[in-house]
Amino acid sequence: MKKKKAMKQLNKLWKGMKLHLKTFLETNSQDDLHQFRVHIKKLKALLTLYASEQENKGLLHEFKPVKTVFKAAGEIRNAYINLQLGEKHQLQDENFDQHQQQILQQGTARFKSQGKSYLKRLKKAHIALQNNLHKLQGKTIRNFYKEKLNRIAVFFAAPTFDEEMHTARKNSKLLIYNQKASAGALHGKLQVNTNYLNQLQDKIGQWHDHLLTMEVLSAMNQPDNQAIINLKNSNAALELEILEQSANFREKVTAPEDAAIKIVPETVV
């Protein structure tokens, strides 16, 4: 991948990220806050791919200021998700609602007060990334995909519902988010079923959201609280779905005609 194409991909995602941030600062839209964070995740995934090339090793360091803004936005988003899940599972706890609403409102006010500073920080990071971005070889992209697929496959050979499950989701999203950027390098060399990966990571994401909300509820309620019981039952069902979807991972993540990861010998980079 030439530097010009890599720069175009970076700038397109960056433009979308800034747009959603500016809209959130004006409207408090939770959807825009969510999309702002999604764009940051996509940017990080793209830069992680670029950084697999030796010349691009410093890119993730230049991206660190953006992660600070991402974390601040995450505190607001988590409170919103907690309120949504509490409502879905019929939590009737005024203290919980008030606490999460307070986090949501105060976090939003604090975030918006730093809006101009965040935008300046993003602009500075963008310039630094543009100045340090180099081309990415096709062979590097293919090796990146092979390594991540192998890590995920090894995990799902004996999956555990802990932080490693969340790590498997992160690795899956690295491949999903970089699908378009990597299409040319992967074509005819390595077949990846990103639709399957996306379905699987979505279930894991739901499981993880439930887990985080249960932790908050457990700290504020009795263990037999009906909302916690509902969340536990919902999460148990999600775990069964994840186990079913992740069974025979290597076969499912590749094209139907080949149960193993289809790798064509390297020729031209």
Side-chain angles (χ1 to χ4, degrees):
M1 184 192 304
K2 295 182 179 180
K3 179 177 178 178
K4 185 177 180 180
K5 183 177 179 181
M7 190 76 73
K8 184 178 179 180
Q9 293 169 343
L10 173 69
N11 291 341
K12 183 178 179 180
L13 278 174
W14 206 276
K15 182 179 179 180
M17 176 188 67
K18 278 184 61 180
L19 177 62
H20 286 295
L21 174 58
K22 288 181 177 180
T23 304
F24 172 73
L25 292 173
E26 294 173 0
T27 66
N28 293 355
S29 165
Q30 280 294 323
D31 184 59
D32 279 293
L33 183 68
H34 174 58
Q35 288 302 321
F36 167 66
R37 281 170 49 81
V38 168
H39 274 70
I40 291 180
K41 290 177 183 179
K42 289 181 177 181
L43 278 164
K44 185 181 177 183
L46 188 65
L47 292 171
T48 300
L49 173 64
Y50 290 165
S52 60
E53 192 77 67
Q54 185 62 38
E55 284 187 297
N56 290 323
K57 286 295 184 183
L59 291 178
L60 290 175
H61 174 75
E62 303 293 352
F63 194 65
K64 282 185 177 181
V66 183
K67 292 171 65 177
T68 304
V69 186
F70 176 84
K71 184 177 180 180
E75 294 175 3
I76 303 169
R77 185 67 185 169
N78 287 342
Y80 176 77
I81 291 172
N82 288 339
L83 287 166
Q84 293 292 304
L85 286 174
E87 181 179 352
K88 177 181 178 181
H89 294 285
Q90 301 177 353
L91 173 66
Q92 296 178 352
D93 189 310
E94 189 175 341
N95 289 333
F96 173 81
D97 286 345
Q98 288 180 349
H99 182 60
Q100 295 304 309
Q101 285 286 359
Q102 184 180 44
I103 294 173
L104 183 64
Q105 292 169 7
Q106 292 182 353
T108 299
R110 185 166 53 248
F111 188 90
K112 291 179 71 173
S113 71
Q114 295 293 316
K116 290 183 179 180
S117 174
Y118 288 155
L119 286 167
K120 288 180 181 179
R121 193 176 303 178
L122 294 183
K123 183 178 180 179
K124 185 177 180 180
H126 191 194
I127 293 170
L129 288 167
Q130 289 176 319
N131 290 338
N132 290 280
L133 181 62
H134 302 279
K135 67 179 181 180
L136 183 63
Q137 297 188 69
K139 184 175 181 179
T140 303
I141 295 174
R142 291 187 285 275
N143 287 339
F144 178 86
Y145 267 72
K146 293 173 192 176
E147 190 268 336
K148 296 301 178 188
L149 282 171
N150 188 58
R151 283 194 183 188
I152 302 168
V154 168
F155 170 75
F156 280 122
T160 53
F161 287 93
D162 51 23
E163 191 60 27
E164 289 304 308
M165 178 68 74
H166 190 48
T167 300
R169 184 193 184 211
K170 290 180 180 178
N171 282 328
S172 297
K173 291 175 80 171
L174 281 175
L175 305 184
I176 295 165
Y177 286 156
N178 284 312
Q179 179 187 12
K180 289 184 179 179
S182 303
L186 297 179
H187 182 68
K189 302 284 185 178
L190 178 62
Q191 182 66 47
V192 182
N193 189 333
T194 51
N195 287 330
Y196 164 69
L197 274 179
N198 195 42
Q199 292 173 15
L200 181 57
Q201 73 80 22
D202 184 62
K203 290 293 180 185
I204 299 172
Q206 292 178 44
W207 167 81
H208 193 250
D209 285 345
H210 279 58
L211 207 64
L212 294 178
T213 302
M214 280 192 289
E215 289 176 0
V216 175
L217 286 170
S218 296
M220 302 183 68
N221 298 277
Q222 297 299 320
D224 60 350
N225 182 279
Q226 187 59 47
I228 296 179
I229 294 172
N230 291 343
L231 278 164
K232 285 182 177 178
N233 289 338
S234 179
N235 235 27
L238 283 168
E239 288 181 1
L240 288 175
E241 290 182 47
I242 291 167
L243 289 174
E244 182 179 356
Q245 284 192 7
S246 63
N248 302 313
F249 175 82
R250 286 189 184 273
E251 289 81 358
K252 293 176 181 177
V253 80
T254 55
E257 68 271 13
D258 192 348
I261 293 178
K262 182 181 178 183
I263 300 173
V264 178
E266 297 290 344
T267 52
V268 180
V269 174

